[in-house]
Each structure stands twice: as structure tokens, then as C-alpha cells.
Amino acid sequence: MRLDVKRRSIAMRITALSIQGRTPADMALKTISYVNANPPWPGKALMLAIFAEYCRPNTDNKQVEKTIKVLIEHGWKVLRVKAVDDLTSDHYETEHSQIPEEPLPYWTIVRRNMGHDFGSWRTGLDWAELHGILDNCTRVMFLNDSIRNWDSCLADVIQRLDPSIDMMTLTESLEILPHGQSYFMVFSGRAIKHPSFTNFWATYNLDGDRQYAVLCGELRLSAMLAKNNLSRRSVVSYSALKSAFKRRCKVEQTTEQGLLTEGPLSRANILFALNSGVNLNPVCMFWRELILDFNLSIAKNSLIDAEPPLLQDADEIVELLKSKVSQ
């Protein structure tokens, strides 16, 4: 009875917020399924992956489909949450109502773009709780589309996850405070059921900007875990990436070409910052080490697609990714 009351409360909150246009879960307005199940996966223990995607008209989503396929092959149930700027667009209505030729067994939610990725993940959690799925989750994974080539290494990353750790991320950052980077997070069943986890999502402000998502999303989530004695670990530690970067720089300094010095994010400038005690964003600054030293053939889309380029050697990222994937 208590659970039914809780679900009705969530449904009322979704409806009220949808009417107000301030919706953590306006998937109540548009939820499209690629499988015939209602509700999905009822009464079974499962691992749930919530994939946050910012969807623009006429964008290629093949990378996302490949990533979801890898997740499903490794036993994860997938909830794909697409954030769009205009829910009334005919483009989205047509695209998301079509069943693929070879449909994958996952669910898709289309929601208004509010709250960045944390807003999409909160929408997914609300939806999962409303359908009685969250109670049966042994693990919940959050990931997003900010990473190029997820499908190439995700299987290996999944194998390296430790189910005894309450929060696992692929990388960690020491900027401001030590925290797991949110583009990939996996939570244990114990963490999911902890009251502080529920409170974090219930109080997350969907009107916040990107800085809010970092400060009150990434940092606050990791701080909440530490405060409640919940464990956190990254697959690749910051110290390991930093050491690998310095080793490579030492070798590069002895070559004829030497360290790249052009641009504000040149390897020479990054090395200077590290030697000055500055903590940097590892997935952005140590991309070469992730690919070559830790066999993680991924990179942030923002590094590759930025105009003008953020890195003078941005083209090298694409070439490295291609060479690693073809091996």
C-alpha cells in the first residue's frame, strides 16, 4: 500500500510539473516504446542503464544505437532519454514513432531539454520508479552522448566494474573537490536505495545552467556518497592518468619535434599547469593517454567538433581512434 501511494505521488508530481512546463519527467507527454511490454521488465532483478542524449534534428544517431546494442548484449536493460528543444516538432514526432528495421529491446523517452544530462537521468529515474522498476535494480548506470566511440570500449569497461563499489566512474577529477566524472557513472543497489540518493535527485534544480550541473550535480553527488560512507572509485584514477601524461611528455621532449607548444591547451601548457599544482579535467587533457596507455578508445566530442578547434592536434584524436578501432 505504501509503495502504491508513493507511485501515485510521483505520477501527480509528473503531471503537475508537465502542466507548469517545469518538468523533470514530461515523458508523461511522449513516451515511445520499441518493445511490447507494459510495464517493462516487471518484477525481475535487473541492471538498468539510462542513456542521456541531446537530440538535434537531422543528426546521426548510429553511434548511440551501437552503444545501446553493447549494453544489451552485456545484460543491461536500457532506457534512452532524448532531450529535445521542441516537443511539438514534426521531425521528432516522425523520427521517434518509427520502429527500426531490427528493433532493440529498449525504451525511449522524449523530453523537453531542461536540466542538462542530470535532468534526463532524473526523468529516467522517475519513470523507472513509477513503473516499479527501480525497486528491482541491482545496479543503475548513467551515461551520455558526449563521448565519441563508446561502443568500441564499453564492453571492456563493463568487465572492469566492481559491483561491490557504490559508485564507479570511468575517470575522476580533482578540480575543486575530488569527484567522479558524470559522463559515465554506475551505482550499486545499496546506493540506489540510500535515502541521500533519493534526496539528491528530488532536490536537483532543473533550471540550473551547465556550471550548476557540475557544482551541484557531479561534485555534490560524490560529496553525498562520502558523507554517507558510500564507496567511490574510478576505473582509471586521476593519478594514473597524470603520471602517464608526464611520462609521455618526458619522451616527447627528447624527440626532434618536441612538445607541442601551440595553442592554450598545448601539451607544454598542460605540463606547466600540472607542475604548478593545478588539477585539470582528465578526460579532456589526457585524451591521448586514455587511448594509448589505458586502451580506452574514446574522446570527448567537444574536443573533436569545436569550432575553432580547442586543440591544435585535434585531428590526431580522430586518427588515433580510427587506428585503435581497426586493430
Side-chain angles (χ1 to χ4, degrees):
M1 179 63 71
R2 184 179 179 184
L3 184 59
D4 290 338
V5 171
K6 185 177 182 182
R7 288 176 185 165
R8 284 199 297 273
S9 175
I10 295 171
M12 290 173 65
R13 177 159 62 92
I14 289 171
T15 303
L17 290 171
S18 296
I19 292 171
Q20 296 169 18
R22 295 167 54 82
T23 161
D26 54 7
M27 73 288 184
L29 303 177
K30 182 178 286 193
T31 303
I32 294 92
S33 166
Y34 286 160
V35 291
N36 295 319
N38 188 23
W41 324 305
K44 296 180 180 179
L46 56 88
M47 300 181 297
L48 176 65
I50 304 177
F51 192 103
E53 176 186 2
Y54 176 53
C55 188
R56 301 175 181 86
N58 304 316
T59 53
D60 182 10
N61 60 8
K62 291 180 181 178
Q63 281 280 325
V64 176
E65 293 282 349
K66 289 179 181 179
T67 301
I68 290 175
K69 186 176 181 180
V70 173
L71 289 167
I72 293 171
E73 288 173 347
H74 286 79
W76 291 80
K77 301 296 185 182
V78 180
L79 177 57
R80 182 179 183 178
V81 184
K82 293 189 173 188
V84 300
D85 293 322
D86 181 10
L87 277 174
T88 64
S89 169
D90 291 338
H91 167 81
Y92 297 120
E93 181 73 38
T94 302
E95 178 188 349
H96 301 300
S97 62
Q98 292 178 343
I99 298 178
E101 293 180 5
E102 297 181 5
L104 294 171
Y106 67 86
W107 284 72
T108 298
I109 290 170
V110 182
R111 68 182 289 271
R112 186 175 295 109
N113 184 27
M114 295 179 67
H116 300 281
D117 292 327
F118 277 90
S120 290
W121 292 325
R122 176 175 158 177
T123 294
L125 286 174
D126 276 349
W127 183 89
E129 189 165 9
L130 183 63
H131 286 282
I133 298 168
L134 205 56
D135 297 325
N136 300 317
C137 287
T138 57
R139 286 194 283 180
V140 171
M141 176 191 296
F142 300 106
L143 66 167
N144 64 27
D145 62 347
S146 68
I147 297 295
R148 184 75 55 93
N149 272 27
W150 254 140
D151 58 294
S152 68
C153 67
L154 192 54
D156 179 54
V157 172
I158 290 172
Q159 296 299 321
R160 294 162 71 177
L161 296 175
D162 185 341
S164 68
I165 303 300
D166 293 308
M167 175 189 183
M168 286 212 70
T169 56
L170 187 53
T171 53
E172 63 180 351
S173 174
L174 303 184
E175 291 182 287
I176 305 177
L177 293 171
H179 62 278
Q181 294 195 284
S182 63
Y183 65 89
F184 179 86
M185 305 182 289
V186 180
F187 292 89
S188 69
R190 185 171 82 118
I192 300 162
K193 294 173 176 62
H194 198 281
S196 62
F197 185 84
T198 304
N199 181 66
F200 169 85
W201 293 104
T203 57
Y204 185 81
N205 179 13
L206 293 169
D207 290 330
D209 58 14
R210 188 166 297 279
Q211 185 177 17
Y212 176 88
V214 174
L215 296 176
C216 298
E218 279 191 352
L219 271 72
R220 181 174 163 233
L221 193 50
S222 291
M224 175 271 292
L225 287 162
K227 182 178 179 181
N228 291 280
N229 297 315
L230 297 169
S231 56
R232 177 182 65 82
R233 184 187 302 168
S234 59
V235 174
V236 182
S237 69
Y238 182 85
S239 60
L241 277 168
K242 178 180 173 180
S243 296
F245 179 88
K246 287 190 171 183
R247 282 197 303 271
R248 283 194 170 275
C249 286
K250 189 173 182 179
V251 172
E252 290 168 20
Q253 287 172 328
T254 64
T255 64
E256 183 178 348
Q257 182 180 356
L259 274 183
L260 182 67
T261 58
E262 296 180 19
L265 297 182
S266 68
R267 288 176 71 78
N269 285 343
I270 294 172
L271 181 61
F272 177 81
L274 289 176
N275 290 335
S276 301
V278 178
N279 292 315
L280 303 172
N281 184 330
V283 75
C284 291
M285 302 304 172
F286 307 144
W287 59 266
R288 184 183 278 101
E289 286 65 39
L290 278 169
I291 297 172
L292 295 176
D293 295 293
F294 295 93
N295 201 31
L296 294 170
S297 302
I298 58 172
K300 293 285 282 186
N301 285 318
S302 58
L303 293 179
I304 300 171
D305 299 333
E307 289 293 342
L310 292 173
L311 303 171
Q312 294 299 114
D313 52 352
D315 290 342
E316 187 183 343
I317 302 178
V318 178
E319 294 305 315
L320 270 179
L321 291 177
K322 286 181 180 178
S323 65
K324 293 292 285 186
V325 171
S326 63
Q327 289 178 1

